[in-house]
Every structure is written in C-alpha cells, then in structure tokens.
mmCIF file of all heavy atoms in Angstrom:
data_model
loop_
_atom_site.group_PDB
_atom_site.id
_atom_site.type_symbol
_atom_site.label_atom_id
_atom_site.label_comp_id
_atom_site.label_asym_id
_atom_site.label_seq_id
_atom_site.Cartn_x
_atom_site.Cartn_y
_atom_site.Cartn_z
ATOM 1 N N ALA A 1 0.840 -1.195 0.000
ATOM 2 C CA ALA A 1 0.000 0.000 0.000
ATOM 3 C C ALA A 1 0.875 1.246 0.000
ATOM 4 O O ALA A 1 2.090 1.182 0.210
ATOM 5 C CB ALA A 1 -0.914 0.006 1.231
ATOM 6 N N ALA A 2 0.243 2.387 -0.226
ATOM 7 C CA ALA A 2 0.857 3.710 -0.087
ATOM 8 C C ALA A 2 2.160 3.886 -0.846
ATOM 9 O O ALA A 2 3.165 4.322 -0.270
ATOM 10 C CB ALA A 2 1.065 4.038 1.401
ATOM 11 N N PRO A 3 2.211 3.598 -2.157
ATOM 12 C CA PRO A 3 3.439 3.877 -2.908
ATOM 13 C C PRO A 3 3.692 5.381 -2.925
ATOM 14 O O PRO A 3 2.841 6.163 -3.348
ATOM 15 C CB PRO A 3 3.127 3.338 -4.305
ATOM 16 C CG PRO A 3 1.646 3.428 -4.410
ATOM 17 C CD PRO A 3 1.125 3.144 -3.033
ATOM 18 N N THR A 4 4.854 5.798 -2.479
ATOM 19 C CA THR A 4 5.150 7.211 -2.268
ATOM 20 C C THR A 4 6.450 7.555 -2.990
ATOM 21 O O THR A 4 7.529 7.166 -2.560
ATOM 22 C CB THR A 4 5.257 7.509 -0.760
ATOM 23 O OG1 THR A 4 4.092 7.010 -0.089
ATOM 24 C CG2 THR A 4 5.386 8.997 -0.502
ATOM 25 N N VAL A 5 6.324 8.308 -4.083
ATOM 26 C CA VAL A 5 7.474 8.613 -4.931
ATOM 27 C C VAL A 5 8.288 9.739 -4.308
ATOM 28 O O VAL A 5 7.733 10.740 -3.836
ATOM 29 C CB VAL A 5 7.019 9.019 -6.345
ATOM 30 C CG1 VAL A 5 8.223 9.256 -7.259
ATOM 31 C CG2 VAL A 5 6.119 7.947 -6.938
ATOM 32 N N SER A 6 9.611 9.583 -4.307
ATOM 33 C CA SER A 6 10.469 10.665 -3.819
ATOM 34 C C SER A 6 10.339 11.872 -4.747
ATOM 35 O O SER A 6 10.037 11.726 -5.940
ATOM 36 C CB SER A 6 11.922 10.203 -3.747
ATOM 37 O OG SER A 6 12.404 9.837 -5.033
ATOM 38 N N PRO A 7 10.542 13.073 -4.236
ATOM 39 C CA PRO A 7 10.407 14.268 -5.081
ATOM 40 C C PRO A 7 11.248 14.222 -6.349
ATOM 41 O O PRO A 7 10.825 14.712 -7.396
ATOM 42 C CB PRO A 7 10.839 15.396 -4.150
ATOM 43 C CG PRO A 7 10.474 14.908 -2.787
ATOM 44 C CD PRO A 7 10.749 13.439 -2.820
ATOM 45 N N ASP A 8 12.442 13.608 -6.289
ATOM 46 C CA ASP A 8 13.297 13.545 -7.470
ATOM 47 C C ASP A 8 12.986 12.355 -8.372
ATOM 48 O O ASP A 8 13.627 12.168 -9.414
ATOM 49 C CB ASP A 8 14.779 13.530 -7.077
ATOM 50 C CG ASP A 8 15.166 12.296 -6.259
ATOM 51 O OD1 ASP A 8 14.314 11.388 -6.075
ATOM 52 O OD2 ASP A 8 16.322 12.235 -5.794
ATOM 53 N N GLY A 9 12.016 11.508 -7.989
ATOM 54 C CA GLY A 9 11.618 10.371 -8.797
ATOM 55 C C GLY A 9 12.532 9.173 -8.712
ATOM 56 O O GLY A 9 12.287 8.158 -9.374
ATOM 57 N N ARG A 10 13.576 9.222 -7.906
ATOM 58 C CA ARG A 10 14.563 8.144 -7.828
ATOM 59 C C ARG A 10 14.035 6.924 -7.076
ATOM 60 O O ARG A 10 14.371 5.779 -7.394
ATOM 61 C CB ARG A 10 15.837 8.677 -7.157
ATOM 62 C CG ARG A 10 16.828 7.623 -6.686
ATOM 63 C CD ARG A 10 17.602 6.978 -7.813
ATOM 64 N NE ARG A 10 18.450 5.881 -7.341
ATOM 65 C CZ ARG A 10 19.640 6.036 -6.768
ATOM 66 N NH1 ARG A 10 20.135 7.270 -6.592
ATOM 67 N NH2 ARG A 10 20.345 4.989 -6.396
ATOM 68 N N TRP A 11 13.212 7.145 -6.064
ATOM 69 C CA TRP A 11 12.794 6.079 -5.169
ATOM 70 C C TRP A 11 11.264 6.011 -5.085
ATOM 71 O O TRP A 11 10.580 7.011 -5.289
ATOM 72 C CB TRP A 11 13.319 6.301 -3.752
ATOM 73 C CG TRP A 11 14.779 6.588 -3.612
ATOM 74 C CD1 TRP A 11 15.385 7.807 -3.651
ATOM 75 C CD2 TRP A 11 15.826 5.631 -3.405
ATOM 76 N NE1 TRP A 11 16.738 7.698 -3.476
ATOM 77 C CE2 TRP A 11 17.045 6.350 -3.324
ATOM 78 C CE3 TRP A 11 15.866 4.242 -3.280
ATOM 79 C CZ2 TRP A 11 18.265 5.730 -3.104
ATOM 80 C CZ3 TRP A 11 17.079 3.621 -3.062
ATOM 81 C CH2 TRP A 11 18.257 4.362 -2.981
ATOM 82 N N ILE A 12 10.770 4.833 -4.712
ATOM 83 C CA ILE A 12 9.375 4.688 -4.298
ATOM 84 C C ILE A 12 9.379 3.975 -2.951
ATOM 85 O O ILE A 12 9.798 2.810 -2.847
ATOM 86 C CB ILE A 12 8.530 3.891 -5.302
ATOM 87 C CG1 ILE A 12 8.481 4.614 -6.653
ATOM 88 C CG2 ILE A 12 7.108 3.711 -4.765
ATOM 89 C CD1 ILE A 12 7.676 3.874 -7.706
ATOM 90 N N ALA A 13 8.974 4.690 -1.911
ATOM 91 C CA ALA A 13 8.759 4.058 -0.616
ATOM 92 C C ALA A 13 7.335 3.518 -0.591
ATOM 93 O O ALA A 13 6.430 4.105 -1.185
ATOM 94 C CB ALA A 13 8.973 5.067 0.512
ATOM 95 N N TYR A 14 7.137 2.404 0.078
ATOM 96 C CA TYR A 14 5.787 1.847 0.176
ATOM 97 C C TYR A 14 5.666 1.018 1.447
ATOM 98 O O TYR A 14 6.671 0.657 2.075
ATOM 99 C CB TYR A 14 5.428 1.011 -1.056
ATOM 100 C CG TYR A 14 6.288 -0.210 -1.289
ATOM 101 C CD1 TYR A 14 5.895 -1.466 -0.813
ATOM 102 C CD2 TYR A 14 7.486 -0.135 -1.994
ATOM 103 C CE1 TYR A 14 6.667 -2.594 -1.027
ATOM 104 C CE2 TYR A 14 8.273 -1.250 -2.213
ATOM 105 C CZ TYR A 14 7.853 -2.491 -1.726
ATOM 106 O OH TYR A 14 8.625 -3.595 -1.934
ATOM 107 N N GLU A 15 4.450 0.755 1.842
ATOM 108 C CA GLU A 15 4.176 -0.081 3.002
ATOM 109 C C GLU A 15 3.903 -1.505 2.543
ATOM 110 O O GLU A 15 3.125 -1.717 1.613
ATOM 111 C CB GLU A 15 2.961 0.441 3.773
ATOM 112 C CG GLU A 15 3.113 1.847 4.317
ATOM 113 C CD GLU A 15 1.837 2.345 4.969
ATOM 114 O OE1 GLU A 15 0.931 1.511 5.204
ATOM 115 O OE2 GLU A 15 1.719 3.553 5.219
ATOM 116 N N GLU A 16 4.550 -2.451 3.183
ATOM 117 C CA GLU A 16 4.208 -3.863 2.958
ATOM 118 C C GLU A 16 3.805 -4.463 4.295
ATOM 119 O O GLU A 16 4.546 -4.374 5.282
ATOM 120 C CB GLU A 16 5.360 -4.640 2.344
ATOM 121 C CG GLU A 16 4.994 -6.096 2.084
ATOM 122 C CD GLU A 16 5.870 -6.789 1.067
ATOM 123 O OE1 GLU A 16 6.770 -6.138 0.500
ATOM 124 O OE2 GLU A 16 5.656 -8.000 0.830
ATOM 125 N N THR A 17 2.605 -5.058 4.315
ATOM 126 C CA THR A 17 2.098 -5.662 5.537
ATOM 127 C C THR A 17 2.465 -7.137 5.568
ATOM 128 O O THR A 17 2.188 -7.884 4.621
ATOM 129 C CB THR A 17 0.576 -5.493 5.635
ATOM 130 O OG1 THR A 17 0.280 -4.091 5.706
ATOM 131 C CG2 THR A 17 0.033 -6.162 6.884
ATOM 132 N N LEU A 18 3.110 -7.548 6.663
ATOM 133 C CA LEU A 18 3.590 -8.905 6.836
ATOM 134 C C LEU A 18 2.823 -9.577 7.971
ATOM 135 O O LEU A 18 2.299 -8.915 8.874
ATOM 136 C CB LEU A 18 5.089 -8.896 7.149
ATOM 137 C CG LEU A 18 5.963 -8.083 6.178
ATOM 138 C CD1 LEU A 18 7.387 -7.994 6.705
ATOM 139 C CD2 LEU A 18 5.928 -8.680 4.782
ATOM 140 N N THR A 19 2.748 -10.895 7.930
ATOM 141 C CA THR A 19 2.024 -11.657 8.942
ATOM 142 C C THR A 19 2.999 -12.157 9.999
ATOM 143 O O THR A 19 3.948 -12.881 9.692
ATOM 144 C CB THR A 19 1.289 -12.842 8.301
ATOM 145 O OG1 THR A 19 0.399 -12.358 7.296
ATOM 146 C CG2 THR A 19 0.498 -13.617 9.346
ATOM 147 N N ASP A 20 2.771 -11.757 11.248
ATOM 148 C CA ASP A 20 3.608 -12.174 12.375
ATOM 149 C C ASP A 20 2.764 -13.089 13.267
ATOM 150 O O ASP A 20 1.962 -12.625 14.086
ATOM 151 C CB ASP A 20 4.092 -10.947 13.154
ATOM 152 C CG ASP A 20 5.112 -11.288 14.234
ATOM 153 O OD1 ASP A 20 5.041 -12.399 14.786
ATOM 154 O OD2 ASP A 20 5.968 -10.429 14.531
ATOM 155 N N TRP A 21 2.930 -14.412 13.085
ATOM 156 C CA TRP A 21 2.128 -15.355 13.862
ATOM 157 C C TRP A 21 2.488 -15.300 15.348
ATOM 158 O O TRP A 21 1.614 -15.434 16.207
ATOM 159 C CB TRP A 21 2.337 -16.775 13.335
ATOM 160 C CG TRP A 21 1.716 -17.041 11.994
ATOM 161 C CD1 TRP A 21 2.364 -17.194 10.805
ATOM 162 C CD2 TRP A 21 0.326 -17.202 11.713
ATOM 163 N NE1 TRP A 21 1.458 -17.430 9.795
ATOM 164 C CE2 TRP A 21 0.207 -17.441 10.325
ATOM 165 C CE3 TRP A 21 -0.825 -17.165 12.487
ATOM 166 C CZ2 TRP A 21 -1.025 -17.651 9.704
ATOM 167 C CZ3 TRP A 21 -2.058 -17.371 11.874
ATOM 168 C CH2 TRP A 21 -2.152 -17.612 10.503
ATOM 169 N N GLU A 22 3.765 -15.114 15.658
ATOM 170 C CA GLU A 22 4.190 -15.110 17.059
ATOM 171 C C GLU A 22 3.532 -13.981 17.836
ATOM 172 O O GLU A 22 3.076 -14.169 18.973
ATOM 173 C CB GLU A 22 5.713 -14.995 17.134
ATOM 174 C CG GLU A 22 6.260 -15.078 18.554
ATOM 175 C CD GLU A 22 7.777 -15.034 18.598
ATOM 176 O OE1 GLU A 22 8.421 -15.204 17.537
ATOM 177 O OE2 GLU A 22 8.316 -14.826 19.703
ATOM 178 N N LYS A 23 3.471 -12.790 17.224
ATOM 179 C CA LYS A 23 2.840 -11.651 17.884
ATOM 180 C C LYS A 23 1.358 -11.536 17.546
ATOM 181 O O LYS A 23 0.680 -10.632 18.045
ATOM 182 C CB LYS A 23 3.563 -10.370 17.489
ATOM 183 C CG LYS A 23 5.011 -10.317 17.980
ATOM 184 C CD LYS A 23 5.682 -9.015 17.566
ATOM 185 C CE LYS A 23 7.109 -8.956 18.084
ATOM 186 N NZ LYS A 23 7.806 -7.710 17.642
ATOM 187 N N ASP A 24 0.872 -12.446 16.690
ATOM 188 C CA ASP A 24 -0.519 -12.429 16.237
ATOM 189 C C ASP A 24 -0.894 -11.045 15.719
ATOM 190 O O ASP A 24 -1.801 -10.380 16.226
ATOM 191 C CB ASP A 24 -1.475 -12.835 17.360
ATOM 192 C CG ASP A 24 -2.890 -13.106 16.851
ATOM 193 O OD1 ASP A 24 -3.050 -13.336 15.633
ATOM 194 O OD2 ASP A 24 -3.828 -13.057 17.673
ATOM 195 N N ALA A 25 -0.171 -10.603 14.690
ATOM 196 C CA ALA A 25 -0.377 -9.251 14.170
ATOM 197 C C ALA A 25 -0.054 -9.200 12.682
ATOM 198 O O ALA A 25 0.820 -9.925 12.190
ATOM 199 C CB ALA A 25 0.505 -8.251 14.915
ATOM 200 N N PHE A 26 -0.783 -8.342 11.989
ATOM 201 C CA PHE A 26 -0.415 -7.929 10.648
ATOM 202 C C PHE A 26 0.358 -6.618 10.814
ATOM 203 O O PHE A 26 -0.185 -5.635 11.321
ATOM 204 C CB PHE A 26 -1.648 -7.698 9.776
ATOM 205 C CG PHE A 26 -2.448 -8.944 9.515
ATOM 206 C CD1 PHE A 26 -3.733 -9.083 10.021
ATOM 207 C CD2 PHE A 26 -1.919 -9.985 8.763
ATOM 208 C CE1 PHE A 26 -4.477 -10.226 9.780
ATOM 209 C CE2 PHE A 26 -2.653 -11.138 8.516
ATOM 210 C CZ PHE A 26 -3.936 -11.263 9.032
ATOM 211 N N VAL A 27 1.619 -6.602 10.417
ATOM 212 C CA VAL A 27 2.490 -5.469 10.712
ATOM 213 C C VAL A 27 2.975 -4.839 9.409
ATOM 214 O O VAL A 27 3.603 -5.501 8.573
ATOM 215 C CB VAL A 27 3.699 -5.908 11.556
ATOM 216 C CG1 VAL A 27 4.556 -4.699 11.928
ATOM 217 C CG2 VAL A 27 3.231 -6.632 12.825
ATOM 218 N N ALA A 28 2.696 -3.545 9.236
ATOM 219 C CA ALA A 28 3.171 -2.807 8.065
ATOM 220 C C ALA A 28 4.587 -2.304 8.318
ATOM 221 O O ALA A 28 4.882 -1.776 9.397
ATOM 222 C CB ALA A 28 2.244 -1.633 7.758
ATOM 223 N N GLN A 29 5.456 -2.453 7.330
ATOM 224 C CA GLN A 29 6.831 -1.990 7.415
ATOM 225 C C GLN A 29 7.161 -1.127 6.197
ATOM 226 O O GLN A 29 6.475 -1.179 5.175
ATOM 227 C CB GLN A 29 7.800 -3.163 7.486
ATOM 228 C CG GLN A 29 7.595 -4.075 8.677
ATOM 229 C CD GLN A 29 7.908 -3.424 10.011
ATOM 230 O OE1 GLN A 29 8.421 -2.307 10.065
ATOM 231 N NE2 GLN A 29 7.605 -4.108 11.106
ATOM 232 N N VAL A 30 8.221 -0.319 6.324
ATOM 233 C CA VAL A 30 8.668 0.534 5.228
ATOM 234 C C VAL A 30 9.576 -0.258 4.304
ATOM 235 O O VAL A 30 10.578 -0.838 4.738
ATOM 236 C CB VAL A 30 9.426 1.774 5.750
ATOM 237 C CG1 VAL A 30 9.881 2.643 4.563
ATOM 238 C CG2 VAL A 30 8.567 2.586 6.704
#
C-alpha cells in the first residue's frame, strides 16, 4: 500500500504488511 514517490523520482517508498504469527499481528513496514 501507499506507494510514495520521492520528489526527485529516484525512489518509491511503500508499506508492505507482513504476517507475524508469534505476535498475532499484521504489521506494516517501510
């Protein structure tokens, strides 16, 4: 989710949600 282009167009930051069974959570990371 949330693809975010850097002002200079070089990079795209985005959120990827991963499944953490141990913590019983869906966790979004950069």
Side-chain angles (χ1 to χ4, degrees):
T4 308
V5 183
S6 61
D8 63 5
R10 165 74 186 280
W11 310 89
I12 298 179
Y14 62 94
E15 299 175 13
E16 181 160 358
T17 297
L18 309 172
T19 302
D20 187 329
W21 289 108
E22 184 177 346
K23 295 180 179 178
D24 192 19
F26 295 114
V27 183
Q29 300 293 352
V30 180

